[in-house]
Amino acid sequence: MHITQLNHECLLHLFSFLDKDSRKSLAKTCHTLLEVFRDPLLWSLLNFHSPSELKKDNFLLGPALKYLSICWYSERVKVCNIEDWMKNHFQKDFCNRHQRTVNDFLLEVCNRCPNLLSLTLSGCGHVTDDCILLLLKSCPNLRTLKLENCVRITDQTLEAVALHGASLQTLHVDFCRNITQTGLERVREKRPSVTLRAERSANMIPDSKPEKKLMLEKASRKLVQL
């Protein structure tokens, strides 16, 4: 029996065991398998391990997407997490490319995936508060939001959760150095039913521009003199 003689449901089940590249390769072999690849039901879950994977044409974004994860653990994540004012020209160019890639992809998710239930972003140093705000507005059924080592996330995201996270059940903001204890308390006050975790975040040193750091140092010296 040839694989194409199986019904569509069986083919969908077989495709579900393959990674994105294998699905794409198999879809190129005949029209029947291409139709299976294009079925939105096949793409209820997507996992990515680097920003470069977001630009590949080996997946489909659609209303069936429920679970999305972008977890980047490369050494290059360290570059993205450096304060902008400390980066050299090469590092800024590198980060600008990643920022466009990730933010453009998340914008597509907002436009095409209104039924998203879970989003995990780890090591995505260029994701902004505006992106998360738009996601919360565009995906009203979002139940789980996990942000780890996303250095541009601030209390504005926590405020967005308080205002627009009606369906949210779980919120993690681990190692996000620019959020504060005040922001976390705001979420606890406005969304008491949300399971909130903020490992290390509010205890980390937030970003600040050089002139701000200089002012803090001068203030510290004055206190010492007193």
Side-chain angles (χ1 to χ4, degrees):
M1 184 178 185
H2 194 272
I3 186 174
T4 56
Q5 293 178 283
L6 296 172
N7 62 35
H8 190 78
E9 288 72 22
C10 288
L11 290 173
L12 273 176
H13 184 66
L14 290 176
F15 263 71
S16 69
F17 291 98
L18 304 176
D19 59 32
K20 295 187 290 294
D21 286 334
S22 299
R23 292 177 183 181
K24 183 66 176 181
S25 298
L26 191 57
K28 293 179 179 179
T29 59
C30 70
H31 180 74
T32 298
L33 298 180
L34 180 60
E35 288 300 311
V36 177
F37 178 84
R38 290 175 174 172
D39 191 329
L41 295 177
L42 181 63
W43 305 101
S44 62
L45 182 150
L46 281 171
N47 294 315
F48 299 95
H49 303 289
S50 76
S52 62
E53 291 185 14
L54 304 178
K55 297 187 288 185
K56 290 186 176 181
D57 186 27
N58 61 357
F59 61 91
L60 185 72
L61 286 180
L65 182 64
K66 301 291 181 65
Y67 307 95
L68 172 62
S69 172
I70 306 173
C71 296
W72 192 29
Y73 299 113
S74 165
E75 283 293 314
R76 294 181 178 182
V77 172
K78 295 179 180 179
V79 175
C80 299
N81 289 336
I82 298 173
E83 293 93 327
D84 287 341
W85 59 269
M86 292 183 62
K87 294 173 183 173
N88 59 37
H89 179 74
F90 172 78
Q91 290 171 331
K92 287 181 178 178
D93 181 63
F94 173 80
C95 292
N96 285 337
R97 291 199 304 271
H98 281 177
Q99 180 174 356
R100 290 192 296 270
T101 299
V102 176
N103 288 346
D104 288 350
F105 176 80
L106 291 178
L107 182 60
E108 288 298 309
V109 171
C110 291
N111 293 332
R112 299 185 185 184
C113 312
N115 300 312
L116 191 68
L117 297 178
S118 175
L119 173 64
T120 299
L121 301 174
S122 180
C124 298
H126 303 299
V127 174
T128 64
D129 295 316
D130 289 339
C131 273
I132 302 301
L133 171 61
L134 187 57
L135 275 161
L136 288 168
K137 289 182 175 180
S138 304
C139 307
N141 299 319
L142 192 68
R143 299 176 186 172
T144 300
L145 177 60
K146 296 181 179 180
L147 306 173
E148 180 185 65
N149 207 12
C150 297
V151 297
R152 291 198 176 186
I153 295 302
T154 71
D155 284 359
Q156 291 183 38
T157 285
L158 301 180
E159 184 65 24
V161 167
L163 293 174
H164 305 288
S167 300
L168 211 61
Q169 299 174 358
T170 300
L171 174 64
H172 292 179
V173 281
D174 298 331
F175 295 89
C176 297
R177 65 176 180 250
N178 287 306
I179 68 169
T180 68
Q181 192 64 41
T182 300
L184 296 172
E185 290 172 359
R186 169 79 171 164
V187 173
R188 291 191 180 99
E189 176 188 352
K190 295 296 181 180
R191 300 289 176 190
S193 62
V194 171
T195 301
L196 178 61
R197 191 180 81 183
E199 186 177 344
R200 294 287 299 275
S201 294
N203 296 323
M204 299 178 78
I205 299 174
D207 295 344
S208 59
K209 294 181 180 179
E211 57 268 21
K212 290 184 180 180
K213 289 190 175 183
L214 184 60
M215 291 174 63
L216 288 172
E217 288 175 1
K218 287 181 178 179
S220 297
R221 291 194 195 106
K222 287 183 179 179
L223 288 172
V224 171
Q225 291 173 358
L226 293 174

